[in-house]
Amino acid sequence: MTDHLDVATLQRRLADFAAARNWQPYHTPKNLVAALSVEASELVEIFQWLTPEESARVMDDPDTAHRVTDEVADVLAYLLQLCDVLDIDPLAALDAKIDRNERRFPAP
């Protein structure tokens, strides 16, 4: 289902979607970061009062699984749009961060 998807394709779809609605003027780094924060908070809200055990089973309930999946998609969409606007390669950024963390926190 997602074999043909990659970050660049998704970023292009998001940019095309925004352009078709003339939303680009609103897609400033400040606004995208704010929207990202809101969507991340909506994801947190789902888990807020769950026990660790309940949170581990959150995808067992179809309605909750759908909500979690939608919020993850929203967070990712805003993050990819932010990366596009700031010309950040998100995969390269993550790869470099993992490298730094491996040096900073060596395995015992």
Side-chain angles (χ1 to χ4, degrees), residues 1 32 55 58-59 66-67 71 77 84 94 103 105 107:
M1 179 167 118
L32 290 169
S55 71
V58 74
M59 300 304 282
H66 179 73
R67 289 178 54 217
E71 295 307 335
D84 190 35
L94 178 57
R103 288 189 300 278
F105 306 104

Side-chain angles (χ1 to χ4, degrees), residues 47-70:
F47 290 87
Q48 185 173 10
W49 301 113
L50 300 180
T51 65
E53 296 78 19
E54 289 168 335
S55 71
R57 296 187 311 271
V58 74
M59 300 304 282
D60 292 347
D61 175 64
D63 291 335
T64 306
H66 179 73
R67 289 178 54 217
V68 169
T69 302
D70 274 357

Side-chain angles (χ1 to χ4, degrees), residues 5-15 80 84 89-91:
L5 295 179
D6 57 48
V7 170
T9 299
L10 293 171
Q11 285 176 307
R12 175 66 7 226
R13 286 189 67 196
L14 289 165
L80 290 178
D84 190 35
D89 178 336
L91 297 182

Side-chain angles (χ1 to χ4, degrees), residues 14-31:
L14 289 165
D16 290 346
F17 182 88
R21 290 152 182 82
N22 285 329
W23 289 353
Q24 308 96 316
Y26 308 106
H27 286 191
T28 64
K30 174 193 157 295
N31 288 349

